[in-house]
Amino acid sequence: MGSFSKKQEDLVNSSWEAFKQNIPHLSIVFYSSILEKVPIAKDMFSFLKDCDGIPLNNPTLEAHAEKIFEMIRDSAIQLGAKGEVEVADDITLEYLGYVHIQKGVTDYHFLVGNVMHIYLIRG
């Protein structure tokens, strides 16, 4: 992996701080944007499967979005400091890969998620 510049790391950190200020709203924006681009992705999220649209005030949805944004922030910090990312002990890359394969996640899904993350950063 390449490393992040200080400017890129600062951008991710500032987006994390902004995200933490309004997790419920930005979680809904994040998932709504993903489902607008890839409606079939709804079935990949257990907390969205049986819902019409994106549920408001859903702790599972908010926790999942928070975890994604936190992992992005932590990865950016590690890339800036060490030029590589080490995954936390309780979550292995193999496990994350397995879950994503089981859900049918493709490169396109990650691309859409990354674009939505950038959208939220830049507002």
Side-chain angles (χ1 to χ4, degrees):
M1 278 186 186
S3 64
F4 265 21
S5 69
K6 179 67 174 143
K7 184 177 178 180
Q8 290 169 317
E9 182 181 335
D10 289 345
L11 180 60
V12 172
N13 282 326
S14 66
S15 71
W16 169 249
E17 292 305 319
F19 180 77
K20 284 192 325 186
Q21 299 302 313
N22 199 354
I23 290 172
H25 172 71
L26 292 176
S27 297
I28 290 169
V29 170
F30 181 71
Y31 288 105
S32 295
S33 298
I34 287 174
L35 296 184
E36 180 181 306
K37 304 291 184 220
V38 188
I40 196 167
K42 180 179 181 182
D43 293 336
M44 295 178 181
F45 300 101
S46 60
F47 48 85
L48 297 177
K49 272 187 174 183
D50 299 324
C51 300
D52 291 329
I54 305 296
L56 302 176
N57 301 316
N58 182 311
T60 305
L61 177 143
E62 293 170 14
H64 190 263
E66 183 175 7
K67 186 178 287 188
I68 290 169
F69 277 73
E70 186 173 22
M71 288 178 74
I72 291 169
R73 191 240 11 227
D74 291 348
S75 296
I77 291 169
Q78 289 183 44
L79 281 172
K82 301 186 281 185
E84 65 181 6
V85 176
E86 294 177 13
V87 180
D89 292 334
D90 61 336
I91 301 174
T92 65
L93 286 178
E94 292 85 8
Y95 174 73
L96 289 173
Y98 172 79
V99 169
H100 284 85
I101 287 170
Q102 294 301 314
K103 297 286 185 179
V105 176
T106 66
D107 289 346
Y108 178 72
H109 297 124
F110 283 109
L111 176 62
V112 170
N114 289 336
V115 168
M116 293 307 105
H117 178 256
I118 291 167
Y119 169 78
L120 289 176
I121 290 172
R122 296 189 179 159

